[in-house]
Amino acid sequence: TIREKGVPVLFAEPQYPQRIADVIAREAGIPVRELDPVATGPTDPMFYEEAMRRNLATLKGALSGP
């Protein structure tokens, strides 16, 4: 389904085992990128803002095309 739909990248979250995402991505022939949902960590708003900025950069880089 991933190849059929032309999915360009698989997004994973740091709180789940990386191995699962790696196996799926390898079989599909696509890269894995990590997005942090900030489910854990400091409650400092600056921490959250910086995490979201990293996520945005990851999304832009992964979805900007070849």
Side-chain angles (χ1 to χ4, degrees):
T1 300
I2 290 171
R3 285 188 290 266
E4 179 183 301
K5 299 290 183 183
V7 175
V9 64
L10 176 67
F11 294 104
E13 295 180 2
Q15 71 269 28
Y16 297 110
Q18 181 70 32
R19 185 179 151 283
I20 296 167
D22 289 341
V23 168
I24 294 169
R26 184 174 51 251
E27 296 223 355
I30 59 174
V32 177
R33 299 293 179 263
E34 186 173 274
L35 294 177
D36 186 354
V38 195
T40 61
T43 57
D44 175 20
M46 294 305 293
F47 175 81
Y48 177 83
E49 183 177 334
E50 185 55 37
M52 291 301 108
R53 288 183 191 280
R54 284 191 306 271
N55 285 342
L56 180 57
T58 298
L59 287 166
K60 287 170 67 175
L63 301 174
S64 65

